[in-house]
Structure formats: structure tokens, C-alpha cells
Amino acid sequence: MTTLVVCLDRSDDVGRRTGLATPVVGWEAVRALVTDVGLADPEDSGVNALLETLRVAQQLRDDDEAVVVAVVSGDRESMVSADRAVARQLDDLVDEHDPDSAVVVIDSADDERLVPIVESRVRVDSVDRVVVRQARDIESTYYLLKQFLGDEELRQTILVPIGLTLLVFPMLATVVGPAEGAAAITTVIGLFLLYKGFSVDEILTAFAIRARESLYSGQVSVVTYVVAAGLTLVGLFAGGLGVSGLGDTHGIVIPAMQFAFDSVPWLAMAALVASAGRLLDELIRDEPLRRSYLNLPFVVVSVGLVIRGFSAFFLEQQGVIEPLVVPTIEFGVVEISSFAVSASERLAFYVAVAFVLSIVGVRFASYLTGPSIDEPELADGPDSD
């Protein structure tokens, strides 16, 4: 039984202070790394984490277990790239040493986010959290404050917003008044907290990476997404024009229905263009088509028909739009005179067409992709094994 004792370093403190590349594998290599990191920054808690890694490995060796000691680090480009770097190094360690289990050593809450990555590749028996004891006196408080001011990331996250608040509030209080200035400041602080709380920066970083990869790989969906974004803007603009043409109306139901009635065709077209791009990418890569990609265009059109049907029903009831009139239709000697369709009949027609389209989409996707994995196939009858 082989146990991997791995020390995780998400922010790449090891590489930044020593210039060494990770993973660092082996008892002697990690022990030399302790000296290098300690000489570069004796106050770093990572030194304690490395020593704890060696202590745990020595304890397991005393129990006659085969042990592999390693240090794995991320990089400083972004949190996403750091996690991917750790994942690649763990894959190399698992392929080379084939451990049966792992003991993870960490020294911060940020490093603890890497534990699920380790668990996805090898069974984790223990997570060892290293906490450095500090003296509880004024000198220690001064020392921690000095360390805080020396951390660039913490300074930018905490001190910069506080400094901007103290700088902007007197100007706002002079120009618009103290109450309005305080309201504006608290609004900005609230938006900043939501930005950090929902990890919007990480989402934007991941989106930028995916967009860059799509551009470099030459995917058709990049163009279709841009076209879909333009159609979405056109739909929003058309909906806004429709609402502005209503004049003075009481309530929000009629303006909302008018906005939906005018914008839904454009929005549905945008969704169709975006889904077409994904389908073309799948066909170009010659990969099996996903059922969701094939079914999505039918679902989009069905939902668009239902929304437009209900919005037309309400608008016609209020006299905003005219009833639908079917023109005269001629089939040879047969002639069907024009007639008006009531609001209820129009709504029923839209719902019926949407329902039929959704069924056709499901059957079409099933025909092209075959039965899904979740559907049991009984080739020889219900009693077959």
C-alpha cells in the first residue's frame, strides 16, 4: 500500500520564493526545499507546512508503509489556471507512483479549496491543517498588522476600497449632501461585496479563457455567438420601441406584454443562431451529437410561440393590436374567403403548434442520437439478463 503525502500550495509561494518548478517529489528533495523556502522567507507559514509534510511521511514510514512525499503548487496567473496546474501535477504523480491513498497537508483556507481536486484523483484519508501558534500580545498584533500591510492582494482588496470611500465621501457630501453621499457610497460597497461574494472575477476570468480558446481553435460558435448577441440587442431595442409607442398606460402588464410580443421573435432567432453554431462545432469535430443540442432549437421555437401567443392574447383583449385576419386562399377552383381569428383561437393555435414542435424535437433528437444512457435497453425481453 502506497500513501501519497502531498503539500498543496495554490498561490505558488514555493516557486515565487525559490524559483523551483513543481512538483517536488522525494524525501531529500522536499527536505532541501524546506531549507530554500526558509532562507528565502523565514516568516512564511509554508515552511511549517513542508515540515509537517515530512513529519507525517516519517510517521507513516515508521509504521512500515510505502510513502511518496511531494509538493504541488499552482501558478499566479489566475485562480482557474492555478487549479488546473495543480490538477496536471496530481495526474502526473498518480500516473507515476499509483498511490492507494493520500494525506493532504495545507496551511490556509485558500489551499483547502484544492482538496476536492485531490479527492477526484485518489482517495484522501486525512487532511492535515497546519496552524502556526503566535503570541497573544501587542507585539504580535503589530507583527500581524505589518504582515497584512505587506500582502499586496490583501492591500488591494481591503485598503483600496476604504481609501476610495474616505476620499470620495467628502466630495459627495459637499456636492449632493451627506445623506445622498452616504447612500452612493454604501451602494458601491454593496456592489463590491456582491462582486467578491459571487466570485464574479473568477467567472469573468473563466469566460475570457474559454473565449480565447474558442478564438484560437477556430470554432464557428464564436461567430454565431456574436450574431446572437446582435440579434438580442435588436430584440431588446424592438421591445423598447413597442413599449414607447403605447403612450400613457396604467400598470405594467400591458407594457410587459408589448415588450414580449415585439422582442420574442428576435430573441428566439438569437437562440437559434447560437445553437446552430454549437451544432456546427460538433459536426466539424466529428463527435457524437448531443441530444440536448439537437432538441434545443425546437424548444426555443416552442417557448417563443407560447410567449408570443399569450402576449398577443392580452394585447388583443385590451385593443392594443388588431385581430388576426386570414386572407383569401385559392386552391384551383376552391376558394376560402378571408376570416378573422379571435384572441382565444390564436392562443390555442400557438400553443398547439408549440406542443407539436416540442414532440417533433424530442423524436428527431432520439432518432439521430439513439437511446440515451439512462434508458434501459431490453434486447431479449424483460426476463433477459
Side-chain angles (χ1 to χ4, degrees), residues 22-35:
T22 55
V24 178
V25 186
W27 176 275
E28 295 298 333
V30 175
R31 189 167 65 174
L33 183 63
V34 173
T35 304

Side-chain angles (χ1 to χ4, degrees), residues 10-287:
R10 191 184 192 193
S11 57
D12 194 25
D13 293 333
V14 172
R16 186 169 62 252
R17 289 180 171 83
T18 64
L20 299 176
T22 55
V24 178
V25 186
W27 176 275
E28 295 298 333
V30 175
R31 189 167 65 174
L33 183 63
V34 173
T35 304
D36 294 338
V37 175
L39 291 175
D41 188 1
E43 300 175 342
D44 186 11
S45 60
V47 179
N48 300 89
L50 294 174
L51 290 173
E52 177 67 10
T53 303
L54 294 176
R55 187 194 68 81
V56 172
Q58 185 177 19
Q59 183 179 1
L60 294 177
R61 283 183 176 180
D62 294 340
D63 295 335
D64 296 330
E65 289 191 28
V67 178
V68 177
V69 188
V71 178
V72 174
S73 295
D75 57 42
R76 298 180 295 278
E77 183 177 352
S78 66
M79 292 294 100
V80 176
S81 61
D83 295 346
R84 287 182 173 177
V86 170
R88 288 194 299 268
Q89 296 174 38
L90 288 172
D91 289 335
D92 295 338
L93 290 174
V94 172
D95 293 339
E96 182 177 355
H97 301 283
D98 192 21
D100 299 290
S101 62
V103 176
V104 179
V105 180
I106 55 177
D107 65 341
S108 67
D110 191 44
D111 295 338
E112 193 166 359
R113 297 181 182 179
L114 299 175
V115 174
I117 299 178
V118 183
E119 292 176 335
S120 65
R121 287 157 173 80
V122 62
R123 187 182 78 246
V124 175
D125 289 342
S126 176
V127 178
D128 192 349
R129 299 172 178 82
V130 178
V131 179
V132 181
R133 292 188 296 271
Q134 297 286 349
R136 300 178 180 272
D137 52 17
I138 298 178
E139 183 179 0
S140 178
T141 303
Y142 169 77
Y143 170 78
L144 293 176
L145 181 61
K146 183 179 179 181
Q147 290 293 96
F148 166 75
L149 295 175
D151 193 315
E152 182 178 359
E153 183 177 357
L154 288 177
R155 288 203 313 267
Q156 294 177 355
T157 304
I158 297 178
L159 295 183
V160 171
I162 294 177
L164 289 175
T165 300
L166 296 177
L167 182 64
V168 173
F169 179 73
M171 294 186 292
L172 291 177
T174 303
V175 176
V176 298
E180 292 79 1
I185 292 296
T186 54
T187 301
V188 173
I189 294 176
L191 292 175
F192 176 76
L193 294 178
L194 290 176
Y195 176 84
K196 300 300 283 186
F198 286 108
S199 301
V200 177
D201 51 348
E202 296 183 7
I203 295 175
L204 293 178
T205 301
F207 176 77
I209 293 175
R210 289 183 57 186
R212 183 177 59 186
E213 292 176 353
S214 299
L215 287 173
Y216 290 160
S217 60
Q219 294 182 1
V220 181
S221 58
V222 176
V223 180
T224 58
Y225 285 161
V226 175
V227 175
L231 292 174
T232 301
L233 293 177
V234 173
L236 297 177
F237 183 73
L241 286 180
V243 173
S244 63
L246 290 176
D248 296 333
T249 57
H250 299 286
I252 62 172
V253 176
I254 298 304
M257 293 299 102
Q258 184 67 50
F259 181 86
F261 183 81
D262 292 330
S263 63
V264 159
W266 295 98
L267 298 179
M269 194 180 305
L272 286 176
V273 171
S275 62
R278 294 302 299 269
L279 277 175
L280 289 175
D281 285 339
E282 296 291 329
L283 292 173
I284 292 173
R285 288 198 295 263
D286 196 19
E287 295 181 356

